[in-house]
Amino acid sequence: MEQHVARNLLKAEESCLFACNANAVAIAVLGNGSHDDRIIIAVVVNNANKSKAVFILSKKANSDAYLLKEALPIFEDMAFSYDSEQSTLVDIRYRDTGKVSYFDLITFANLKAFANVMDAAVSQAQKVKFNETCGSHQWMSTYKAGVSQSEGAESSISTETAQWLSNLLKSREPEFTSKRNFLVFVGTWNVNGQKPPVNSELDSWLLSSKGLKMPDIYFIGFQELDRSVEGLLAGGDVSRAQLWKNAILTSLKRAGDYAFVALKQLVGVILYIFMKKVYAKEVSCPQSCLVPVGIMGIMGNKGGVAIRLNLFDSTFCVVNSHLHAHHSNVNRRNSDFKEISSRMQFSGAYHTIFDHEYLFWMGDLNYRVDLPDNEIREKIAKQDWQHLMAGDQLKQQMAAGQAFESFQEQEVRFAPTYKYVNNSLEYVFEKERSPGYCDRVLWIAQDPKAISALSYLRHELLISDHRPVSALFQLPVKSIAYQSRERVLQDLLKQLDTMENERHPIATVSTNDLNFGKVAYMKQCARSVTLNNTGQVHAKWWFIPVNNDQTYCPRWLTIHPHSGLLEPGARIVIDVKLNVDSTCAAQMSSSTQTEHILILHVENGKDYFITITCEYMASCFGSSLEKLVLFPGPLRSSQPLPSSATEKLPIPKELWRVVDYIFRNGLQEPHIFNVSGEPSEIEKIRECLDTGKSFATFNFSPHSMAEVLLRFLESLSEPVIPFSSYRKCLQAVMSYSTCCQYVREGDPSHVNVFFYLVAFLKELLACGEQNHVKPQKLAWLFGTVMLRNPPESPEEMGDSDLCTKFLLQFLEDDSAVTHITSSHHGSRTPTTSATPVTSTSSSAMTPPPATPAPTPSTPYSTSYTAHATSTSTPEQQQTADPPNTPNTTPTHISSSPIPPSQQQLTSTTQLSTTPVLSATPQMPTPGTTPVSSSPPLTPPLSQSPLLVPTTPSIPFPDSEFDDS
C-alpha cells in the first residue's frame, strides 16, 4: 500500500525499493518522544545509474493525498544508524554537512526491512563514490517538494483508496499472518490513598491465574493513589507512583521475568503496563493521553488516562478512569464517559481509542445498585448476584445506549466491591453508601470471537474501602510476513488498475440543502446527507475547499467521514455536525442567517454543492467584554449601543447577575468553587443570561452558578487580561505595582471586570470559615481563566503557576479593592481601607431603605438603579435580579457585591482622577431586580481542559473524597 503511494509519485525512470509508514521526529523533542504527523518513508532507485535516495512523503494540507516533502540523496558521506533492541528510531546524517534527520519506523518489522535496504544502498554509494559533485543524482532535480510528477498534481492514490485496499488485505490476512495466543491480566483497584503493603499481599491479586500459566501482559489501574491537595494541584505524586510500581514488579518477579513497559498518571488515576521481558522488546509506537473531568469539570481528581501500543503487529489501547461519585450522579458519569472517550486522541493511524484491535476500559466507574439498602445487603448474604446486577446502574446505562454501549463485560459473580470499612470485612452503614459494583473491567475487540474471557474476580485485600478486581483474557496477537503481504498487495493493485478504467463514476446526493434552523452556543446539532454510487465503477470522493478557503469547512462544522471510496451500488451516510464553541462564536453573525457551501468532489465525476444554513442565537458565552458592555438589554433581543457611546455599561450585566446570585446565595456555601455544578442547571442559567429571563423562577445551586462564572470567563474571546498583556504580566509577577500598571492599560471594560472580580473573590475569602475557600485554590481557578495564553503562542512551563501567583497578590493586598461598610449590601458605600475585607453577607437579606420610585424607563435601558423601593420579604430578595425601571440619573458608583473604587474603575487616560462611571450607567445593586424577557434557549457547556499548576500545600476539604 505504501509502495503504491510512492510509485505514483515517481517517473518511469525510477523505482521504489521499499516504503513504510513512519513518524518524522524533531531533534528538539527527542527527549520526550514527541513527533510530527505520520509520513511515508521510501527508498527510491534511478534505473539508469542505480543511484538511490530516501523520499519523505507527507499528506497535503487539507487533503488525504501524499506529496513529496523532502528527498535525501544517498551519498558516500551518509551514515545510517539505529538500535533495534531498544527502539524503532533511526537517524540519517551526512558527515560533511552535519545535517541529521530522525525517523520513528513504528514497528521493528519496518525497521529491519528498512535497515537491510539502507545498509546495501549506503555500501554501494561508498563503493561507487556517489557524491554531490559527480552528478549521479541529477535525476532528483526533477522532483520538487510539495508536487508530484504529474503536472504538480496529487498522488493518484489517496487514503480512501488505501483504506479500500486495507479492507481487502484484511480479508486475506491468513495468507501472510501468523498468530500466537497471549494471556492478558487487567486489574483495577481504588486504593483510597493507601501505600502498597510491604509483604506479599499483592500476590493474591496479581498472581491469581488459578492453574493457568502466568499472564504475558499486565494492565493495572489504580484510582485515588494520591489524594493529597499537593497531588491534585501538581498532577500527582510521582514518588507514590514509583512506590506502587516497585511493589508490583516485586510481586511479579516472584513468578517470572517481567519488565515495566509504560505508565500514565492523572493525580490519583494511574495506569501501568508490565510484560514478560521476552515480549517487551516487541512493543512499538507507545503513546498516552489524559482527560480530567473533576472539580468544576477541569481538575484531575476525576478523569481518565490511556496508553496505546503495538505488540508485534496487533494494536492495544487501555483506559483507566475514575468517574463522578454518588448514587444519583448517573448522568454525570455518563457524561464523563462520553467526554473521556471523545477527547482521548493519539497521533498517527490509530487516532481514537476505538481504532484498535483490543480496547480495555477499567476503573472505579462509580455506578451503583438501584435497590434499597436492606435489599442489597440481604442479596449479598444470599449471594444472589443476578438479582443485584438487575439493579446495576452500569448495566442499565449500557442497555439504554447512554454509556459504554459498545463494550462487553464478563458475568459478575462476586459481591459488590464498595464500600468497606478499611482493614475490615464489613461494609459501612452510612447514608448514600449502599454496597455497589463501582470497580469494573470492560472491553471491545474488533473480532469479538477471537477473545476469550477466562475469569472475572474480586480479591480480598483489605487496606482500602474498595476491593481490587481482576479479569483474565486469552487473545491472539498477530505477526505479519511482509514479503508475503507484498505479494498479496501486488495482486490487489492489479485488480485496482483494472477497475480504474475510462468509465466515469456516477453518483447522487440525497439533498443539496442542510438547514440547521436556530442553533445556540455549544448546542450540537446534526444532519446527514447520503451519497449513492449509481454508476458501474468505484467512486472516490472527498470534500474540497471553496475558492481560496484553507479548509473545506468552517470550524463550527465537522464532517464524518470526509472522504471515501464507494463500490458500485453502494451508499454512505455522511454526518454533518454543527457546534458553535468559544473559538468560533465571535465569528458567527448573531440572529442572522449564516450560510456556507460544501463541495463534495467525486474524482473524474461531478462536484456536488451542499448549502449549510443556520441562524445563530447570540450568547454572552464566547463573546467579548467590549461587545457585552454595549448591550443594555438581553443579548438576543436588544440592539447594542454605538461603540462610541458614553453610556455603555461598566461591566457586562450577565457577569453582574451571576456574581450577585453567588453573593446572595453562595458566599457561605461549603466548598463553593470546589464542587461541580449540575449540567442541566448550567444550561438553564446560560439560557437566563442570554434571554434576560429571571433567576427567580428557579432554585439554582450555588455550585452550578459558580461553574457558570468560570465557564463564562473561560469562554471570552479575549480574556479579562488581554492576550497582548499576558506574557508581560507573568514576567512582572514579582512586582505588584508593575502588575497593577499592566492591568490598567487595558480597555476600561477589562479593567473594571478585573477589579470587580478581585473584590468578589476577597468577599469569598472573608467567609473562608464557612465556605472553606482558600486563597491559593481560588487564585489558581480564576488566574488560569482570567489570564490565558494567546491561541497561536505555545504554553511555557510554569505559566499556570505564574497565573496563580499573579492573581494571588491582588487577593492578598488590602489596597487592591475598596472596603465596604454598611448594614445592607444594596446600599454599601465604598471607602478605602487598609484593613482586611470583612463580609457582611449575613445582613444582605435586610430590605434596603425606602427611596422615591425612579422614573419609568424601558427594560435594561442605559443605566441601572443604585437601589429600589422594596416591600419584598428577605426570601424574595434572595433571588432578586436587576430592575425593570432603572435610574436615569446615576449619582454614585454602585455594583455587586462590592463596588470598585473610583481609582479602579477609571479610563486608561484618567487612571487616578475622573471615574469612567461618572458619565456612564451604573450597575444594579443587590436587592434590586433587573428586567427579564425573551424565550429561553441554552446549549450545554464546553469542557475545556486546563493545566494544573504546582502550588504550595493547601488544606483540602475531606468531603470532596467522602464518596469515591
Side-chain angles (χ1 to χ4, degrees), residues 372-386:
D373 181 80
N374 60 345
E375 185 177 344
I376 293 174
R377 296 177 191 271
E378 175 189 340
K379 296 304 179 182
I380 292 174
K382 294 180 178 180
Q383 298 189 7
D384 190 351
W385 315 135
Q386 187 175 3

Side-chain angles (χ1 to χ4, degrees), residues 201-248:
E201 288 183 34
L202 287 179
D203 292 2
S204 64
W205 176 38
L206 302 177
L207 311 182
S208 58
S209 50
K210 289 192 173 181
L212 300 171
K213 69 172 186 174
M214 285 297 298
D216 302 294
I217 308 170
Y218 277 86
F219 299 132
I220 301 174
F222 293 103
Q223 306 83 41
E224 291 193 17
L225 182 133
D226 182 5
R227 294 179 56 197
S228 67
V229 177
E230 295 89 343
L232 178 65
L233 296 180
D237 185 348
V238 177
S239 63
R240 184 69 64 88
Q242 185 68 30
L243 205 61
W244 276 96
K245 171 189 166 184
N246 294 340
I248 294 169

Side-chain angles (χ1 to χ4, degrees), residues 82-96:
Y82 61 95
D83 183 357
S84 61
E85 296 300 319
Q86 299 296 325
S87 73
T88 54
L89 194 70
V90 303
D91 68 80
I92 299 174
R93 66 184 68 221
Y94 294 92
R95 299 187 192 92
D96 293 347

Side-chain angles (χ1 to χ4, degrees), residues 886-961:
N887 185 350
T888 56
T889 56
T891 57
H892 65 281
I893 302 168
S894 178
S895 64
S896 166
I898 308 157
S901 66
Q902 292 183 357
Q903 287 77 17
Q904 292 158 353
L905 301 181
T906 56
S907 68
T908 54
T909 58
Q910 296 173 316
L911 289 179
S912 59
T913 55
T914 308
V916 170
L917 300 186
S918 60
T920 60
Q922 297 168 324
M923 295 307 299
T925 58
T928 61
T929 307
V931 70
S932 62
S933 61
S934 304
L937 179 60
T938 309
L941 291 170
S942 64
Q943 297 287 336
S944 303
L946 294 174
L947 296 176
V948 178
T950 302
T951 61
S953 175
I954 307 168
F956 198 79
D958 292 335
S959 61
E960 175 62 25
F961 298 101

Side-chain angles (χ1 to χ4, degrees), residues 107 166 170 173 176-182 184 217 219 282 284 307-318 346 349-361 406-408 442-452 473-480 482 485:
T107 70
S166 178
K170 189 172 183 64
E173 266 190 1
F176 55 83
T177 301
S178 60
K179 296 180 180 180
R180 68 190 81 183
N181 285 327
F182 272 65
V184 177
I217 308 170
F219 299 132
E282 303 298 338
S284 62
I307 299 175
R308 64 91 42 217
L309 54 81
N310 294 355
L311 177 59
F312 290 97
D313 293 298
S314 287
T315 58
F316 291 80
C317 183
V318 191
F346 308 98
Y350 304 99
H351 189 57
T352 76
I353 63 175
F354 300 104
D355 293 335
H356 299 76
E357 286 180 64
Y358 303 111
L359 167 61
F360 295 98
W361 191 309
S406 301
F407 284 80
Q408 297 186 60
L442 312 174
W443 81 90
I444 293 177
Q446 288 184 355
D447 181 4
K449 297 179 180 179
I451 189 169
S452 299
F473 302 90
Q474 181 174 282
L475 50 84
V477 173
K478 66 185 180 185
S479 297
I480 295 175
Y482 283 91
R485 177 180 180 272

Side-chain angles (χ1 to χ4, degrees), residues 692-714:
K693 190 174 182 179
S694 174
F695 293 157
T697 57
F698 303 96
N699 184 25
F700 292 129
S701 161
H703 298 294
S704 297
M705 196 67 70
E707 184 164 345
V708 166
L709 176 57
L710 282 172
R711 298 290 184 188
F712 169 76
L713 296 173
E714 185 184 45

